[in-house]
Amino acid sequence: MADPAPGSSLVHVVAGILRDPGGRVLVAQRPEGKQHAGCWEFPGGKVEPGETPEAALTRELREELGIRARVGRRRIAIPHAPIRLDVREIESFEGHPRSREHQRLRWIEPERVDRTLLPLADRPALTSLCLPDRYMITPVPEDGRESAFLSTIESALEDGIGLIQLRLPAWSREHVAALARRVRDLCRGSGARILLHADWRLAAILGLDGVHLPARVARALAARPLGHGSLVAVSCHDRAELRHAAEIGADFATLSPIEATRSHPQANALGWKTASAWLDDAGLPVFALGGLGAEQCIRALDSGFQGIAAISAFWRPDRIF
Ligand SMILES: Nc1nc2c([nH]c(=O)n2[C@@H]2O[C@H](COP(=O)(O)OP(=O)(O)OP(=O)(O)O)[C@@H](O)[C@H]2O)c(=O)[nH]1
Ligand SMILES: [Mg+2]
C-alpha cells in the first residue's frame, strides 16, 4: 500500500536498520562525490515513482549491499527538508552485506555512534535506537512510604525497566532532591536512566540523566534546556506540541491520552488511528501514554511509536516473591 505522505513535497528516502546477532547496527559512510560525502548513515535511498517504500528499500539494500532483506515496521519518520527519512526495521536478511558502491561499512552499537557524524535527519533515529520501548513514570508516594516506593523501583529495574521518570509535582525541592538521590543510586546500579519531572536545573545538580518537561514548561522554551549529554523529554497532547518538542530539539516525547484513563478522566482519548497519523511527521521518538497496559507495547510499536509510557502498567507494588 502506498505510504501516506504528509509534506509530500519532500523527497521520500527509506533507510534500513540491520542488526547483527550482538545487536550492533550497520552504518555506511557516504562515498566521495555524493551529497553528504563522509557522513555515516543507514543504508537505503530514494523511493522511485510508483514504488512502495518496502519495495524501494528491498531494492536499495540489494543494490548497495547485495542482500535480500525483509522490511519490517517503521521505527521513525523524520521530515527534514528536502527529504523525509523513513526508517524501517529490517526483520531478517539473506547474504552478507558487502560494499557494492564504494561505501565504507561498519557494525556498531548504537550507544557508541557519534551523533555528529550522522546527517541531521538521522539523529532522532539514533536516539530512538538508544531508547528502550518501556518508559515507567512513578506515582507519588504517600507520606512515610518512601521505602516501599524504593523497593518497587528495585523490582521494576529487575524486570528490565531501563528508563524512569520521577514525577513528584507537588513536592518541595528539598524533598524531591532527597528521594531523587536514592532513586538515582538504584538506577546507576542497574544501568537504567532516570529523568526528573519539570525541574531541569535540579536534574543537572543531582547528576540525573535528564528532564521530562510538562507541555506548559516546554511551551515557554525556545531550545532544549540541557545539552546532548542529557535526555530532554516533553509531554505532548496534540500535533502542535509534538512539532514544538521537535523544534526545541527534545530527544523524545510522550503523546497522551491514547486511551481513556482514570488519572485524567476529563481528557478525550486520541485513539490509536489519530495518534499514529501524527507520528508520520513528528520527527522524534514518541511513547504512547494513557490508559495502556504492558500488553499494548506491540500495538504501539506497530503504530510507529517508540513504545509505551505508563505508571500502572509497570508499577507493581504488591508483587509477591
Ligand atoms: N540512504 C540514506 N540517505 C540519507 C540518510 N540520511 C539522509 O539525510 N539521507 C539523504 O537522503 C538522500 C537520498 O539518499 P541516497 O543518495 O542514498 O539515494 P539513492 O540511494 O537513491 O542514491 P542516488 O540518488 O545517489 O543514486 C541523500 O541526500 C542522503 O544524504 C540515511 O540515513 N540513509
Ligand atoms: Mg543510497
Side-chain angles (χ1 to χ4, degrees), residues 13 30 34-36 41-42 44-46 60 64 83 119 122:
V13 175
R30 293 181 71 80
K34 282 210 169 197
Q35 208 179 4
H36 294 140
E41 62 175 21
F42 302 108
K46 300 179 197 82
E60 287 285 345
E64 293 184 357
I83 67 161
D122 291 64

Side-chain angles (χ1 to χ4, degrees), residues 173 195-214 216-218 220-227 230-233:
R173 228 175 173 222
L195 309 188
L196 185 62
H197 176 256
D199 191 343
W200 69 83
R201 293 183 189 88
L202 185 57
I205 290 167
L206 298 174
L208 306 188
D209 299 287
V211 67
H212 187 111
L213 303 170
R216 71 184 150 75
V217 176
L221 295 172
R224 51 184 288 141
L226 296 172
S230 303
L231 287 172
V232 174

Side-chain angles (χ1 to χ4, degrees), residues 91-102:
E91 282 175 2
S92 60
F93 57 90
E94 288 169 32
H96 183 74
R98 65 207 141 76
S99 171
R100 297 180 116 197
E101 294 190 348
H102 311 291

Side-chain angles (χ1 to χ4, degrees), residues 114-154:
D114 174 352
R115 61 193 304 280
T116 64
L117 300 180
L118 303 180
L120 289 171
D122 291 64
R123 297 180 191 180
L126 177 66
T127 305
S128 164
L129 292 171
C130 296
L131 289 171
D133 57 15
R134 295 182 296 166
Y135 178 30
M136 183 175 83
I137 304 169
T138 63
V140 180
E142 290 163 27
D143 274 350
R145 300 280 296 159
E146 277 91 342
S147 306
F149 180 89
L150 291 168
S151 353
T152 308
I153 300 250
E154 279 185 292

